[in-house]
mmCIF file of all heavy atoms in Angstrom:
data_model
loop_
_atom_site.group_PDB
_atom_site.id
_atom_site.type_symbol
_atom_site.label_atom_id
_atom_site.label_comp_id
_atom_site.label_asym_id
_atom_site.label_seq_id
_atom_site.Cartn_x
_atom_site.Cartn_y
_atom_site.Cartn_z
ATOM 1 N N GLY J 44 59.414 27.507 -179.667
ATOM 2 C CA GLY J 44 59.720 28.114 -178.383
ATOM 3 C C GLY J 44 60.106 27.086 -177.351
ATOM 4 O O GLY J 44 60.702 26.054 -177.668
ATOM 5 N N LEU J 45 59.746 27.356 -176.111
ATOM 6 C CA LEU J 45 60.090 26.470 -175.008
ATOM 7 C C LEU J 45 59.056 25.360 -174.870
ATOM 8 O O LEU J 45 57.856 25.612 -174.959
ATOM 9 C CB LEU J 45 60.170 27.258 -173.696
ATOM 10 C CG LEU J 45 61.362 28.183 -173.558
ATOM 11 C CD1 LEU J 45 61.122 29.187 -172.429
ATOM 12 C CD2 LEU J 45 62.637 27.406 -173.290
ATOM 13 N N GLU J 46 59.533 24.151 -174.652
ATOM 14 C CA GLU J 46 58.640 22.998 -174.494
ATOM 15 C C GLU J 46 59.157 22.101 -173.377
ATOM 16 O O GLU J 46 60.307 21.623 -173.441
ATOM 17 C CB GLU J 46 58.540 22.203 -175.790
ATOM 18 C CG GLU J 46 57.608 21.002 -175.697
ATOM 19 C CD GLU J 46 57.526 20.221 -176.993
ATOM 20 O OE1 GLU J 46 58.571 20.037 -177.645
ATOM 21 O OE2 GLU J 46 56.412 19.778 -177.351
ATOM 22 N N TRP J 47 58.329 21.855 -172.377
ATOM 23 C CA TRP J 47 58.664 20.893 -171.341
ATOM 24 C C TRP J 47 58.718 19.501 -171.961
ATOM 25 O O TRP J 47 57.848 19.143 -172.753
ATOM 26 C CB TRP J 47 57.624 20.940 -170.232
ATOM 27 C CG TRP J 47 57.690 19.787 -169.291
ATOM 28 C CD1 TRP J 47 58.601 19.574 -168.299
ATOM 29 C CD2 TRP J 47 56.823 18.654 -169.260
ATOM 30 N NE1 TRP J 47 58.346 18.386 -167.654
ATOM 31 C CE2 TRP J 47 57.247 17.802 -168.224
ATOM 32 C CE3 TRP J 47 55.700 18.277 -170.012
ATOM 33 C CZ2 TRP J 47 56.618 16.612 -167.917
ATOM 34 C CZ3 TRP J 47 55.056 17.086 -169.718
ATOM 35 C CH2 TRP J 47 55.517 16.263 -168.673
ATOM 36 N N VAL J 48 59.756 18.729 -171.623
ATOM 37 C CA VAL J 48 59.948 17.411 -172.222
ATOM 38 C C VAL J 48 59.649 16.293 -171.226
ATOM 39 O O VAL J 48 58.894 15.371 -171.527
ATOM 40 C CB VAL J 48 61.388 17.258 -172.748
ATOM 41 C CG1 VAL J 48 61.636 15.840 -173.253
ATOM 42 C CG2 VAL J 48 61.660 18.274 -173.851
ATOM 43 N N ALA J 49 60.280 16.355 -170.062
ATOM 44 C CA ALA J 49 60.132 15.263 -169.104
ATOM 45 C C ALA J 49 60.554 15.720 -167.717
ATOM 46 O O ALA J 49 61.367 16.635 -167.583
ATOM 47 C CB ALA J 49 60.971 14.058 -169.520
ATOM 48 N N THR J 50 60.011 15.042 -166.708
ATOM 49 C CA THR J 50 60.358 15.310 -165.312
ATOM 50 C C THR J 50 60.468 13.994 -164.565
ATOM 51 O O THR J 50 59.711 13.062 -164.835
ATOM 52 C CB THR J 50 59.308 16.210 -164.644
ATOM 53 O OG1 THR J 50 59.279 17.469 -165.313
ATOM 54 C CG2 THR J 50 59.631 16.450 -163.168
ATOM 55 N N ILE J 51 61.409 13.922 -163.638
ATOM 56 C CA ILE J 51 61.633 12.705 -162.865
ATOM 57 C C ILE J 51 61.647 13.035 -161.374
ATOM 58 O O ILE J 51 62.167 14.073 -160.951
ATOM 59 C CB ILE J 51 62.949 12.020 -163.292
ATOM 60 C CG1 ILE J 51 63.135 10.667 -162.596
ATOM 61 C CG2 ILE J 51 64.161 12.922 -163.049
ATOM 62 C CD1 ILE J 51 64.259 9.825 -163.188
ATOM 63 N N LYS J 52 61.055 12.150 -160.586
ATOM 64 C CA LYS J 52 60.981 12.321 -159.146
ATOM 65 C C LYS J 52 62.361 12.183 -158.513
ATOM 66 O O LYS J 52 63.286 11.661 -159.110
ATOM 67 C CB LYS J 52 60.030 11.272 -158.559
ATOM 68 C CG LYS J 52 59.604 11.527 -157.129
ATOM 69 C CD LYS J 52 58.570 10.505 -156.695
ATOM 70 C CE LYS J 52 58.122 10.757 -155.262
ATOM 71 N NZ LYS J 52 57.067 9.787 -154.835
ATOM 72 N N LYS J 53 62.467 12.643 -157.272
ATOM 73 C CA LYS J 53 63.727 12.656 -156.551
ATOM 74 C C LYS J 53 64.435 11.303 -156.571
ATOM 75 O O LYS J 53 65.641 11.222 -156.777
ATOM 76 C CB LYS J 53 63.483 13.034 -155.091
ATOM 77 C CG LYS J 53 62.764 14.352 -154.884
ATOM 78 C CD LYS J 53 62.428 14.540 -153.415
ATOM 79 C CE LYS J 53 61.527 15.713 -153.196
ATOM 80 N NZ LYS J 53 61.225 15.922 -151.747
ATOM 81 N N ASP J 54 63.657 10.226 -156.353
ATOM 82 C CA ASP J 54 64.253 8.891 -156.277
ATOM 83 C C ASP J 54 64.133 8.110 -157.581
ATOM 84 O O ASP J 54 64.470 6.932 -157.638
ATOM 85 C CB ASP J 54 63.624 8.090 -155.146
ATOM 86 C CG ASP J 54 62.134 7.869 -155.335
ATOM 87 O OD1 ASP J 54 61.587 8.343 -156.351
ATOM 88 O OD2 ASP J 54 61.497 7.237 -154.468
ATOM 89 N N GLY J 55 63.633 8.775 -158.621
ATOM 90 C CA GLY J 55 63.501 8.136 -159.923
ATOM 91 C C GLY J 55 62.281 7.253 -160.080
ATOM 92 O O GLY J 55 62.117 6.614 -161.131
ATOM 93 N N SER J 56 61.427 7.195 -159.085
ATOM 94 C CA SER J 56 60.296 6.261 -159.103
ATOM 95 C C SER J 56 59.123 6.740 -159.957
ATOM 96 O O SER J 56 58.233 5.952 -160.270
ATOM 97 C CB SER J 56 59.821 6.001 -157.677
ATOM 98 O OG SER J 56 59.361 7.197 -157.072
ATOM 99 N N GLU J 57 59.080 8.021 -160.274
ATOM 100 C CA GLU J 57 58.026 8.546 -161.128
ATOM 101 C C GLU J 57 58.653 9.360 -162.256
ATOM 102 O O GLU J 57 59.595 10.121 -162.032
ATOM 103 C CB GLU J 57 57.064 9.438 -160.328
ATOM 104 C CG GLU J 57 56.284 8.714 -159.255
ATOM 105 C CD GLU J 57 55.360 9.628 -158.477
ATOM 106 O OE1 GLU J 57 54.816 10.578 -159.081
ATOM 107 O OE2 GLU J 57 55.189 9.403 -157.262
ATOM 108 N N LYS J 58 58.096 9.189 -163.449
ATOM 109 C CA LYS J 58 58.608 9.890 -164.621
ATOM 110 C C LYS J 58 57.423 10.353 -165.446
ATOM 111 O O LYS J 58 56.451 9.607 -165.620
ATOM 112 C CB LYS J 58 59.502 8.959 -165.460
ATOM 113 C CG LYS J 58 60.655 8.338 -164.669
ATOM 114 C CD LYS J 58 61.406 7.310 -165.490
ATOM 115 C CE LYS J 58 62.485 6.633 -164.651
ATOM 116 N NZ LYS J 58 63.266 5.645 -165.444
ATOM 117 N N TYR J 59 57.505 11.538 -165.969
ATOM 118 C CA TYR J 59 56.427 12.103 -166.762
ATOM 119 C C TYR J 59 57.010 12.700 -168.034
ATOM 120 O O TYR J 59 58.099 13.264 -168.024
ATOM 121 C CB TYR J 59 55.678 13.176 -165.962
ATOM 122 C CG TYR J 59 55.083 12.627 -164.682
ATOM 123 C CD1 TYR J 59 55.765 12.744 -163.477
ATOM 124 C CD2 TYR J 59 53.863 11.967 -164.698
ATOM 125 C CE1 TYR J 59 55.225 12.220 -162.309
ATOM 126 C CE2 TYR J 59 53.321 11.435 -163.539
ATOM 127 C CZ TYR J 59 54.013 11.558 -162.353
ATOM 128 O OH TYR J 59 53.489 11.032 -161.200
ATOM 129 N N TYR J 60 56.242 12.575 -169.124
ATOM 130 C CA TYR J 60 56.732 12.995 -170.438
ATOM 131 C C TYR J 60 55.663 13.788 -171.189
ATOM 132 O O TYR J 60 54.459 13.534 -171.038
ATOM 133 C CB TYR J 60 57.086 11.771 -171.290
ATOM 134 C CG TYR J 60 58.134 10.871 -170.703
ATOM 135 C CD1 TYR J 60 57.786 9.783 -169.900
ATOM 136 C CD2 TYR J 60 59.483 11.082 -170.965
ATOM 137 C CE1 TYR J 60 58.749 8.948 -169.360
ATOM 138 C CE2 TYR J 60 60.460 10.250 -170.435
ATOM 139 C CZ TYR J 60 60.082 9.188 -169.630
ATOM 140 O OH TYR J 60 61.045 8.364 -169.105
#
Side-chain angles (χ1 to χ4, degrees):
Chain J
L45 288 164
E46 181 180 41
W47 166 76
V48 175
T50 298
I51 186 168
K52 194 175 181 178
K53 304 173 189 182
D54 62 0
S56 62
E57 295 179 34
K58 305 173 184 182
Y59 301 96
Y60 301 92

